[in-house]
Amino acid sequence: MWSNRPSFLLLVQVRQTQKAGFIIPLALPVLDATLRSWRDSLEFWESIFPGFNAQLLVKDKLKISSHFRLSQVFAWGLRLLAELRRYGPYEFVHVDNGEQQVSIRLW
């Protein structure tokens, strides 16, 4: 369900029955700015050095480095992050085995 308010935090929460749990907050605007700066840096180096992707990617039999650029991977990550933020607050992972509970949610 789409929400009018975008999410700003990714919360990873771990709870244990015998010990105190903890929450790891990740600010999504900071992650967005970081991914954008990495993408811009990669675009810069890819334009100066045409073989830059081949140097960074592992040599493999499928020749993946010739099919896409690393800056495209960061662009796809930015699109995915934007779509996740548009959903608004929701919990998309919840695992409970009786002793431990892990949840990942957008807030």
Side-chain angles (χ1 to χ4, degrees):
M1 182 170 158
W2 299 100
S3 174
N4 291 335
R5 183 182 72 84
S7 299
F8 289 101
L9 287 174
L10 178 72
L11 297 173
V12 178
Q13 183 176 16
V14 178
R15 293 183 191 165
Q16 297 179 350
T17 57
Q18 302 297 326
K19 299 178 183 177
F22 59 91
I23 297 176
I24 302 170
L26 178 64
L28 294 177
V30 173
L31 181 61
D32 184 49
T34 304
L35 287 177
R36 286 183 193 281
S37 65
W38 285 352
R39 184 200 58 196
D40 293 342
S41 296
L42 280 171
E43 286 177 350
F44 172 75
W45 290 110
E46 288 170 349
S47 66
I48 291 178
F49 301 110
F52 186 69
N53 285 333
Q55 295 293 328
L56 289 179
L57 294 174
V58 177
K59 304 290 184 190
D60 59 338
K61 296 176 183 176
L62 299 176
K63 302 291 184 193
I64 293 175
S65 61
S66 64
H67 296 294
F68 67 91
R69 300 179 316 169
L70 284 175
S71 59
Q72 289 175 337
V73 174
F74 283 95
W76 296 332
L78 284 166
R79 286 183 185 173
L80 176 67
L81 184 62
E83 285 298 318
L84 282 176
R85 289 188 68 194
R86 286 180 55 190
Y87 279 116
Y90 75 100
E91 181 175 42
F92 60 93
V93 173
H94 182 82
V95 179
D96 188 3
N97 69 355
E99 294 179 13
Q100 298 174 343
Q101 181 180 17
V102 177
S103 65
I104 301 174
R105 56 188 160 150
L106 292 171
W107 188 262

